């Protein structure tokens, strides 16, 4: 039996760090904290060491395809794959940020959607039978979807939407935003919300693909909302602590062997939500 392993992206602080903390206590195997910045990642590992926890560290910048590929090669060589992948890394501009909306849209969707898609592309074949994949999305994706015009809503809810079509829609949002026309074109005024629509729908596409291509492997893949959590990203007024925000992602990461569901769902407070 090879050692089991879990990888959490963007986990040197905030919800990601809390997910690593919880998995160190509950997962039987190696838990990898990853971060873009090696020194910050190693500091986070040391902080957890003082709590008596022993995560491991690997550099991983989801915005850098070479970094993703290097990490994927490492986990394939050392562990023969990955048992649990938590795609947590994401960015959000502050409400008060004066960066033009078109740039906010491009930067946010690039990291939250396209870079997460690159993670899934490079790591999906590494997920071992019985594996779990958790993509951290947000309830903001549901609100943003409901603010889209009916045509966009229909496309995003289409059960036959392809990954390529979804990527085209995400790029269209960026292009419309850069022209200052996103509202006229039926998009909501939230780059973060649209990026997380992408994450939620991408999760459903990948779950369907797993069911079709690896039907006997028992892999479960879901998107989830951790809730509104007090982090650098969400601000100090949020009602949940990072450890409370980690509860649903960790629940999905540790779904018991043989479980058949949830799969391809959007989950909040450990409950499947209507999409």
């Amino acid at each position: 039996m090879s050692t089991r392993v879990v990888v959490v992206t963007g986990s040197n602080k905030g919800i990601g760090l809390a997910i690593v903390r919880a998995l160190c206590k509950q997962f039987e195997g190696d838990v990898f904290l990853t971060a873009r910045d090696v020194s910050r990642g190693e500091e986070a590992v040391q902080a957890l060491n003082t709590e008596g926890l022993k995560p491991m560290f690997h550099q991983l910048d989801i915005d850098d395809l070479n970094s993703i590929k290097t990490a994927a090669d490492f986990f394939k060589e050392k562990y023969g794959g990955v048992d649990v992948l938590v795609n947590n890394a994401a960015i959000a501009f502050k409400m008060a940020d004066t960066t033009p909306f078109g740039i906010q849209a491009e930067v946010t969707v690039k990291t939250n959607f396209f870079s997460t898609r690159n993670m899934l592309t490079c790591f999906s074949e590494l997920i071992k039978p019985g594996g779990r994949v958790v993509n951290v999305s947000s309830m903001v994706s549901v609100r943003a979807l409901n603010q889209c015009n009916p045509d966009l809503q229909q496309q995003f809810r289409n059960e036959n939407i392809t990954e390529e079509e979804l990527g085209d829609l995400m790029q269209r949002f960026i292009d419309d935003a850069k022209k200052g026309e996103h509202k006229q074109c039926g998009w909501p005024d939230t780059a973060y919300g649209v990026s997380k629509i992408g994450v939620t729908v991408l999760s459903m596409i990948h779950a369907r693909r797993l069911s079709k291509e690896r039907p006997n492997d028992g892999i479960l893949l879901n998107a989830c909302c951790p809730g509104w959590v007090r982090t650098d990203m969400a601000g100090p007024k949020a009602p949940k602590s990072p450890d409370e925000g980690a509860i649903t992602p960790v629940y999905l990461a540790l779904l018991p062997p043989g479980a058949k569901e949830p799969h391809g769902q959007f989950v909040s407070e450990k409950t499947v939500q209507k999409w």
Side-chain angles (χ1 to χ4, degrees), residues 97-110:
D97 198 301
T98 55
T99 305
F101 186 79
I103 295 172
Q104 290 195 27
E106 185 168 43
V107 171
T108 305
V109 173
K110 179 185 181 296

Side-chain angles (χ1 to χ4, degrees), residues 29-230:
D30 290 347
V31 179
F32 272 83
L33 182 154
T34 71
R36 273 185 309 211
D37 184 296
V38 172
S39 60
R40 284 185 192 163
E42 289 175 343
E43 278 173 26
V45 166
Q46 287 167 0
L48 290 177
N49 288 163
T50 65
E51 298 176 28
L53 304 174
K54 298 199 162 33
M56 302 168 93
F57 176 72
H58 199 285
Q59 192 275 343
L60 177 53
D61 178 358
I62 71 164
D63 284 334
D64 178 352
L65 191 54
N66 283 330
S67 174
I68 293 176
K69 287 177 175 174
T70 299
D73 289 344
F74 168 80
F75 288 107
K76 186 174 184 180
E77 190 176 321
K78 183 168 170 65
Y79 294 94
V82 171
D83 295 279
V84 180
L85 173 63
V86 182
N87 285 310
N88 166 76
I91 60 164
F93 284 83
K94 300 277 191 276
M95 291 293 283
D97 198 301
T98 55
T99 305
F101 186 79
I103 295 172
Q104 290 195 27
E106 185 168 43
V107 171
T108 305
V109 173
K110 179 185 181 296
T111 293
N112 296 1
F113 174 75
F114 286 106
S115 296
T116 298
R117 185 174 78 167
N118 287 340
M119 276 295 301
L120 287 166
T121 300
C122 293
F123 273 78
S124 59
E125 64 188 34
L126 297 185
I127 305 301
K128 295 180 185 178
R132 306 288 180 251
V133 181
V134 183
N135 298 325
V136 178
S137 185
S138 170
M139 283 304 277
V140 178
S141 69
V142 177
R143 282 208 297 279
L145 179 63
N146 290 329
Q147 290 166 358
C148 289
N149 70 17
D151 176 55
L152 285 169
Q153 288 189 40
Q154 189 177 359
Q155 290 184 71
F156 283 127
R157 288 194 169 109
N158 178 359
E159 289 195 357
N160 297 312
I161 187 172
T162 65
E163 189 170 326
E164 188 179 7
E165 288 166 344
L166 178 60
D168 289 347
L169 280 169
M170 291 287 115
Q171 187 58 51
R172 197 167 100 201
F173 168 67
I174 293 170
D175 296 342
D176 290 344
K178 286 172 93 168
K179 287 185 277 194
E181 297 172 0
H182 61 285
K183 285 194 265 195
Q184 297 98 293
C185 294
W187 297 100
D189 206 19
T190 162
Y192 182 77
V194 172
S195 76
K196 292 300 193 178
I197 292 175
V199 171
T200 303
V201 177
L202 184 66
S203 303
M204 295 171 178
I205 292 169
H206 274 260
R208 285 198 290 272
R209 189 181 301 163
L210 279 168
S211 297
K212 186 178 172 190
E213 295 176 2
R214 300 177 63 179
N216 301 318
D217 280 357
I219 298 168
L220 299 178
L221 183 154
N222 293 284
C224 72
C225 176
W228 188 19
V229 178
R230 291 188 294 279

Side-chain angles (χ1 to χ4, degrees), residues 243-259:
D243 289 330
E244 289 168 330
I247 289 172
T248 293
V250 169
Y251 155 74
L252 292 171
L254 299 177
L255 286 168

